[in-house]
Amino acid sequence: RYQRRVHGHGQKRKTESRIVIMSADLTWMITRNNSSFIVKRNGVTLSRAPGNLLAKNQFKYCQEAKPVQIVAVDGGAQLITRKYAAKPNEIKKAYATTTFKKDARHASASVQKCLQNYRPDLKKAAAARVARILQSKMAVKAKKAPRFRGRTKA
C-alpha cells in the first residue's frame, strides 16, 4: 500500500491511497528467504506458517497460492479455503469454511472431495492432517484387565 499526496494551489492536502496487488509468484520470491516462519535445521528449511500443511518451505504449500488451511476446533477439524470471486478488501467474506466432526475415514474422504477441483495436489496431505486431528480428538478407550487362560498360579 502506498500513499500519494494530491494538492493544487490554494487547496487542502488530500491523501489518496491505492492497494498494490502483486502476483503470488512475486510475493513468494520476495518472502521465501525472509519470512519470520522459516526454521532451518540440519540442512532442511521448514516453515511454521499457520496454513502450511506439511511444514515445508515451498511455494506449493505456502498461503500465497490458493490457500488451504486445516485448523483444529472443538470436537473436530475445519477446512478453510479461499473463494474464487473474492474481493481483496472483503477478507471475512473471502473464505469458505467446512467443519468435519465425523470419524477420520469419512472426514478424509470428504476433504478429498472438497479439494478435488480446488487444489488436487494437496488432497492427500489435507486428508492426512484432518485424519490426525480427528484421531487426536477421539476419547481414549480404557484397557481391559488381562485375562489369564489356562492354569493360574495359586
Side-chain angles (χ1 to χ4, degrees):
R1 183 172 230 199
Y2 71 93
Q3 292 185 349
R4 184 178 72 174
R5 297 187 185 265
V6 181
H7 64 279
H9 183 68
Q11 293 181 352
K12 293 182 179 179
R13 289 185 176 183
K14 294 189 247 176
T15 56
E16 179 183 302
S17 63
R18 294 182 187 173
I19 297 174
V20 178
I21 300 174
M22 296 186 288
S23 70
D25 295 320
L26 181 61
T27 306
W28 172 248
M29 293 299 290
I30 292 169
T31 61
R32 73 178 176 176
N33 294 324
N34 301 317
S35 174
S36 63
F37 297 112
I38 290 178
V39 177
K40 294 182 181 179
R41 289 190 189 142
N42 301 330
V44 179
T45 306
L46 301 173
S47 175
R48 288 185 180 168
N52 197 325
L53 291 176
L54 295 182
K56 292 183 178 180
N57 190 33
Q58 296 176 358
F59 180 69
K60 178 179 178 178
Y61 302 110
C62 76
Q63 289 296 302
E64 273 75 30
K66 284 190 184 176
V68 173
Q69 187 173 0
I70 295 176
V71 182
V73 294
D74 293 335
Q78 193 172 43
L79 172 72
I80 303 170
T81 55
R82 188 162 171 87
K83 294 178 183 177
Y84 283 112
K87 295 178 182 176
N89 58 345
E90 294 178 351
I91 296 172
K92 190 170 183 178
K93 295 179 184 178
Y95 292 95
T97 59
T98 308
T99 306
F100 302 103
K101 294 184 180 181
K102 299 179 186 177
D103 61 299
R105 187 174 47 140
H106 288 98
S108 62
S110 298
V111 167
Q112 288 187 359
K113 285 182 184 177
C114 288
L115 296 179
Q116 188 169 0
N117 295 326
Y118 184 71
R119 287 291 299 268
D121 56 333
L122 295 181
K123 283 193 306 188
K124 287 184 180 178
R129 166 79 48 110
V130 166
R132 282 290 186 184
I133 289 172
L134 290 176
Q135 284 173 356
S136 70
K137 299 272 184 182
M138 286 177 59
V140 179
K141 291 183 181 178
K143 286 190 172 183
K144 293 181 181 177
R147 219 171 74 191
F148 295 106
R149 297 183 182 180
R151 298 171 77 181
T152 59
K153 293 181 182 179

